[in-house]
């Protein structure tokens, strides 16, 4: 194995994965080390195009407001650059209405939580471009090794000292037809940002450490997405439309505008309700969700892409935040740390917030220092864990506040209190309602509806769910049957075997 010597006395960081979390981690490190090397197994495409290393990029990717704020703090001006690249800012429920089990949400002008709607290749391309420009004006040298794969860590159970890498066969690397040679990149800090397929647990074992405990909560959701171009105003309502699944009808779809006059239609369903990826099956599926509006749009659009599917949507939490769970010199960010059920649209925001936390830790503690990973992660991790567990997003194994409700009950209490507070605030505030616009068919469109609604086939009848699982709806076309399985919770390492 060839060893690559680091220039004498230089402090070098290596980031594994040049996706969103990786490029933002590199930004966080600027000014704190002499050089950063980003190792990316793909070659980046020219322009804003899809690449294999981020397969989920074919699907709807909405960037939430908290993540956008973190991104703006890390890379000022990125919001503007997104808009210049064609991104749309949607303020729900003004620009994105949701059909709930109780009916269409009212549209009103609420501008605190704008989210960004654009395709994922644009997000990654804009961020990459801005990171490279920012690095060019920094004292830190940034090098990106494309078509290069990280295959392991160097060091021992207590400390990571570098990354073993090799050029990718067929990736245009330096190896030609021969077996790619491995080399080592030495580093004072290694950041794993290699996404949902991160091999960190296996690499831990090679270093003689136990793998971090992993919990999996799998709702069994699958996505199918197609890019569409409206053929006229009827295919381009003046808002995005979201018809999520609900217990009576566990299939849904979202239709949102993205760049260049195109729209993304993403359909989703739990086990037994997975959306098909053939043209006809996909179109038929949209007729079986909880409202006919989206299906009615399909006669007013042309397909721009095939239908792409995605099934690996489980929540996976690796407990790197537990005391002692990371060796010295190692940090894990983005999906490599935690993947989330995509219906909540949190993953990119978590990647941005993680990179911002890394930068704040470096800024506040005087840069790279012994104990940075373990100390920073343990403190930050403990805070995050307390918040997650006591907001009821996950039931704690042991309630640390005896006498007070935990987990789902506490979550329910919180929800009720939050809803009551919001209702009180709404009542005390004059509401800026949008003017109602004439719509062709009040039965088939949201009540405050799009300016141009499709003439839906079911227009004459009141809008009824066609969902096969909805007892209030009519039977689904094609004799679809319901076999919805309950969500699955898996813990893949026993509590005592982990490092927590
Ligand atoms: C269907 C779907 C829809 C989603 N929708 C949303 C949404 O609406 N909003 C939202 O915020 N999030 C969404 N997410 C989550 C979002 O995609 C991820 O959270 C986000 O991509 C995480 O960024 P990352 O950089 O950690 O990982 P990735 O974007 O996956 O990047 C990982 C990078 O590492 C590289 N890599 C991997 N292994 C190696 C290796 N060994 N060596 C070198 N390089 C390597 C890959 O090529 C890739 O470039 C969705 C996810 C899915 C699955």
């Amino acid at each position: 194995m060839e060893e690559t010597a680091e220039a004498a006395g230089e402090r070098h960081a290596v980031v594994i994965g040049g996706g969103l979390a990786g490029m933002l981690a590199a930004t966080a490190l600027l000014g704190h080390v002499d050089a950063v090397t980003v190792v990316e197994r793909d070659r980046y495409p020219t322009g804003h195009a899809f690449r294999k290393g981020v397969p989920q990029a074919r699907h709807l990717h909405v960037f939430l407001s908290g993540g956008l704020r973190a991104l703006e703090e890390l890379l000022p001006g990125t919001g503007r650059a997104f808009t210049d690249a064609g991104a749309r800012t949607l303020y729900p429920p003004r620009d994105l209405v949701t059909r709930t089990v109780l009916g269409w949400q009212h549209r009103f002008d609420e501008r605190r939580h704008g989210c960004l709607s654009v395709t994922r290749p644009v997000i990654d391309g804009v961020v990459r471009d801005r990171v490279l420009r920012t690095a060019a004006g920094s004292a830190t040298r940034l090098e990106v090794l494309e078509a290069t794969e990280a295959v392991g860590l160097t060091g021992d159970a207590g400390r990571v000292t570098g990354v073993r890498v090799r050029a990718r066969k067929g990736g245009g690397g330096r190896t030609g037809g021969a077996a790619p040679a491995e080399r080592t990149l030495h580093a004072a800090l290694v950041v794993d940002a290699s996404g949902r397929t991160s091999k960190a647990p296996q690499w831990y074992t090679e270093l003689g450490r136990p793998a971090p405990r992993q919990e999996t909560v799998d709702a069994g959701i699958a996505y199918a997405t197609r890019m569409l171009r409206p053929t006229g105003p009827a295919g381009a309502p003046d808002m995005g439309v979201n018809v999520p699944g609900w217990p009576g009808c566990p299939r849904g779809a979202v239709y949102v505008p993205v760049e260049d006059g195109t729209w993304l239609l993403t359909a989703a369903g739990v086990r037994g309700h997975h959306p098909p990826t053939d043209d006809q099956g996909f179109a038929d599926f949209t007729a079986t969700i909880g409202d006919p509006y989206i299906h009615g749009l399909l006669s007013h659009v042309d397909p721009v892409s095939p239908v792409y599917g995605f099934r690996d949507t489980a929540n996976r939490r690796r407990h790197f935040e537990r005391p002692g769970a990371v060796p010295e010199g190692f940090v894990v960010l983005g999906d490599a740390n935690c993947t989330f059920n995509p219906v909540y649209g949190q993953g990119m925001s978590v990647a941005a917030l993680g990179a911002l936390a890394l930068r704040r830790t470096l800024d506040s503690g005087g840069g790279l220092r012994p104990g940075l990973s373990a100390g920073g992660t343990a403190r930050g991790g403990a805070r995050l864990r307390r918040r997650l567990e006591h907001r009821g997003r996950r039931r704690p194994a042991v309630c640390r506040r005896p006498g007070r409700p935990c987990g789902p009950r506490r979550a329910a209490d919180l929800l009720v209190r939050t809803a009551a507070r919001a209702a009180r605030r709404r009542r005390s505030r004059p509401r800026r309602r949008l003017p109602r616009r004439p719509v062709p068919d009040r039965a088939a469109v949201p009540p405050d509806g799009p300016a141009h609604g499709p003439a839906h086939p079911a227009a004459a009848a009141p809008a009824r769910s066609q969902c096969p699982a909805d007892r209030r709806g009519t039977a689904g076309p094609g004799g679809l049957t319901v076999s919805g399985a309950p969500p699955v919770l898996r813990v893949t390492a026993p509590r005592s075997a982990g490092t927590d």
Side-chain angles (χ1 to χ4, degrees):
M1 184 194 302
E2 177 201 331
E3 294 272 324
T4 315
E6 217 184 340
E10 274 211 336
R11 280 185 321 164
H12 189 186
V14 173
V15 177
I16 306 171
L20 189 69
M23 293 315 281
L24 294 178
T27 311
L29 288 161
L30 294 179
H32 291 289
V33 288
D34 301 302
V36 177
T37 302
V38 175
V39 179
E40 169 51 51
R41 67 180 174 191
D42 273 356
R43 272 205 180 282
Y44 292 122
T46 319
H48 298 151
F50 173 81
R51 65 186 172 88
K52 267 171 108 177
V54 190
Q56 72 271 29
R58 302 274 190 200
H59 301 272
L60 174 74
H61 267 76
V62 167
F63 216 138
L64 302 180
S65 55
L68 288 172
R69 277 196 299 275
L71 192 57
E72 200 62 32
E73 191 172 335
L74 281 164
L75 285 172
T78 309
R80 181 62 206 258
F82 282 142
T83 310
D84 293 345
R88 307 276 297 263
T89 301
L90 307 180
Y91 292 96
R94 187 190 70 169
D95 306 321
L96 179 62
V97 283
T98 297
R99 163 74 152 91
T100 72
V101 69
L102 299 173
W104 286 103
Q105 193 180 20
H106 280 293
R107 261 182 108 192
F108 57 89
D109 209 357
E110 161 59 75
R111 301 204 190 181
R112 270 177 302 177
H113 300 294
C115 55
L116 195 86
S117 182
V118 69
T119 60
R120 180 65 195 267
V122 173
I123 294 175
D124 285 2
V126 166
V127 168
R128 200 162 55 239
D129 185 51
R130 293 194 72 76
V131 173
L132 296 177
R133 279 188 213 196
T134 307
S138 139
T140 300
R141 265 192 342 273
L142 175 64
E143 181 190 22
V144 181
L145 299 179
E146 293 176 69
T148 305
E149 185 177 22
V151 292
L153 301 172
T154 58
D156 55 36
R159 167 158 204 110
V160 169
T161 57
V163 183
R164 291 189 290 118
V165 300
R166 67 171 172 229
R168 277 201 104 191
K169 267 189 175 173
R174 288 155 242 183
T175 56
E182 267 184 37
R183 61 192 179 118
T184 297
L185 303 176
H186 295 286
L189 182 72
V190 173
V191 179
D192 179 13
S194 59
R196 51 204 303 114
T197 58
S198 164
K199 301 277 187 305
Q202 292 94 303
W203 295 343
Y204 262 40
T205 314
E206 289 162 18
L207 292 180
R209 293 182 64 88
R213 191 162 72 88
Q214 176 173 302
E215 278 174 284
T216 305
V217 178
D218 187 0
I221 287 174
Y223 270 36
T225 298
R226 182 165 223 180
M227 185 181 264
L228 304 164
R229 186 180 297 282
T231 50
D238 64 345
M239 63 177 85
V241 182
N242 177 24
V243 181
W246 51 72
C249 182
R251 29 175 85 194
V254 191
Y255 184 66
V256 290
V258 288
E259 69 274 11
D260 299 333
T262 55
W263 289 63
L264 281 184
L265 174 55
T266 288
V270 300
R271 278 186 209 91
H273 298 268
H274 285 176
T277 52
D278 63 289
D279 292 1
Q280 193 56 49
F282 181 71
D284 290 348
F285 182 90
T286 62
T288 69
I289 64 174
D291 191 275
Y293 179 74
I294 288 181
H295 183 70
L297 293 164
L298 293 186
S299 43
H300 304 280
V301 294
D302 280 339
V304 175
S305 76
V307 182
Y308 294 102
F310 200 96
R311 291 191 173 197
D312 176 19
T313 59
N315 297 277
R316 260 182 231 105
R317 185 175 179 191
R318 290 172 176 161
H319 285 276
F320 288 111
E321 86 290 357
R322 303 276 165 147
V326 278
E328 187 80 19
F330 192 57
V331 167
V332 188
L333 292 180
D335 275 18
N337 192 315
C338 239
T339 60
F340 300 91
N341 178 340
V343 300
Y344 302 111
Q346 296 165 320
M348 295 188 297
S349 293
V350 170
L353 287 160
L356 185 59
L358 175 63
R359 185 158 90 183
R360 285 181 179 162
T361 306
L362 289 166
D363 286 349
S364 64
L368 282 192
R369 59 194 180 277
L372 171 99
S373 333
T377 320
R379 275 194 306 278
R383 257 198 313 272
L384 182 68
R385 191 177 67 236
R386 272 199 303 275
R387 270 198 220 153
L388 285 181
E389 292 178 353
H390 273 279
R391 292 223 168 128
R393 286 183 201 151
R394 172 182 169 266
R395 191 189 185 95
V398 180
C399 180
R400 289 187 197 80
R401 299 183 193 176
R404 294 190 59 188
C406 290
R409 221 186 99 206
R410 181 165 158 76
D413 288 356
L414 273 174
L415 274 177
V416 169
R417 280 208 301 275
T418 310
R421 213 170 29 237
R424 276 199 303 277
R425 254 191 245 130
R426 257 202 317 275
R427 277 196 298 273
S428 64
R429 227 184 15 220
R431 184 119 135 245
R432 277 187 294 158
R433 292 276 309 244
L434 290 182
R436 284 181 178 252
R437 299 192 173 123
V439 290
D441 166 27
R442 296 297 305 167
V445 296
D448 291 319
H452 312 284
H456 190 268
R464 285 182 86 194
S465 166
Q466 297 289 306
C467 183
D470 189 346
R471 275 167 311 193
R472 296 164 313 127
T474 53
L480 287 164
T481 53
V482 184
S483 59
V488 176
L489 169 67
R490 280 199 311 274
V491 179
T492 55
R495 225 160 241 285
S496 55
T499 46
D500 50 326

